Amino acid sequence: QAFFSTEVGPDGLSHVVPKVRNPPPTEGQRYVMQAMQLLPIVAIVAVSFISSNIGKSPRYSLSSSDKYPVRRETSRLGLTYFLTREMAASTDKKPHKRDLKLEHHIEQQHIDKLVKACRGSQQLQHKAKGSEGGEPTAAPKVDTSSCERLHEIKNAHYIAPGFRIPPLSQLMAAT
């Protein structure tokens, strides 16, 4: 490496100027420089984590507790859920304006669980029939109450626009 460089001065002439060489960073300085490069990423992750976890608790619970003591039922399926006292007070002020989005969310979660349970019982039933040589009488009894409840919900016209229930022919094929 050259220790001198040529620069053009204000008078238009070239001048030879010594290069200033910084000593290589020590091992400790290298760690500090690497940490400084990671600092913005760490700060973004920390702010994101803190902002997502501060003051946000679920609006409801499916089981009663000290935090969720107020019992409610959804208007369509009659599912029980629990609210905080503050949340219940805010909805009690306007009883004609029920939180339909919240109820829709609760009911959709319930239907999604029923669908999952129904598919699981159908798979168990199918495996049991296959492992017993296809003899339907030899297969152990599988709980299909989730499939039956889905069928009831579908037949009772409880389904609101936006609910996602797979065609019951898919779910009830093996029952």
Side-chain angles (χ1 to χ4, degrees):
Q1 291 186 2
F3 294 102
F4 297 96
S5 65
T6 307
E7 294 181 1
V8 177
D11 57 2
L13 300 174
S14 296
H15 300 279
V16 176
V17 181
K19 263 189 181 177
V20 178
R21 262 184 66 165
N22 293 329
T26 64
E27 192 171 328
Q29 289 172 328
R30 270 185 274 169
Y31 288 128
V32 170
M33 290 186 321
Q34 288 173 347
M36 292 298 286
Q37 290 174 343
L38 291 176
L39 191 60
I41 295 169
V42 171
I44 290 171
V45 169
V47 167
S48 173
F49 178 77
I50 290 170
S51 66
S52 68
N53 289 323
I54 289 183
K56 288 190 178 185
S57 60
R59 297 172 60 192
Y60 70 94
S61 173
L62 296 178
S63 58
S64 179
S65 67
D66 291 340
K67 189 174 182 178
Y68 299 96
V70 182
R71 183 177 193 263
R72 294 285 167 86
E73 285 187 4
T74 61
S75 56
R76 236 182 305 264
L77 297 179
L79 300 174
T80 301
Y81 64 100
F82 298 87
L83 300 174
T84 61
R85 284 186 174 83
E86 297 79 24
M87 181 77 168
S90 71
T91 58
D92 287 342
K93 289 178 185 175
K94 298 176 183 175
H96 61 283
K97 269 195 149 181
R98 293 182 67 113
D99 193 346
L100 295 179
K101 279 187 176 181
L102 176 64
E103 288 191 8
H104 178 85
H105 177 76
I106 292 167
E107 290 177 346
Q108 185 61 59
Q109 275 190 322
H110 178 70
I111 288 173
D112 290 345
K113 284 180 186 178
L114 288 175
V115 167
K116 186 176 180 181
C118 180
R119 285 185 178 150
S121 65
Q122 295 300 320
Q123 287 174 350
L124 283 175
Q125 205 170 34
H126 182 71
K127 284 180 184 178
K129 285 180 180 179
S131 66
E132 298 293 330
E135 295 284 328
T137 56
K141 179 72 174 147
V142 176
D143 178 23
T144 58
S145 60
S146 54
C147 298
E148 292 162 9
R149 179 65 179 138
L150 279 171
H151 189 67
E152 289 172 15
I153 291 171
K154 185 88 168 179
N155 285 343
H157 305 289
Y158 286 129
I159 305 305
F163 274 107
R164 299 175 312 272
I165 295 184
L168 289 177
S169 59
Q170 287 178 357
L171 297 172
M172 301 295 286
T175 58

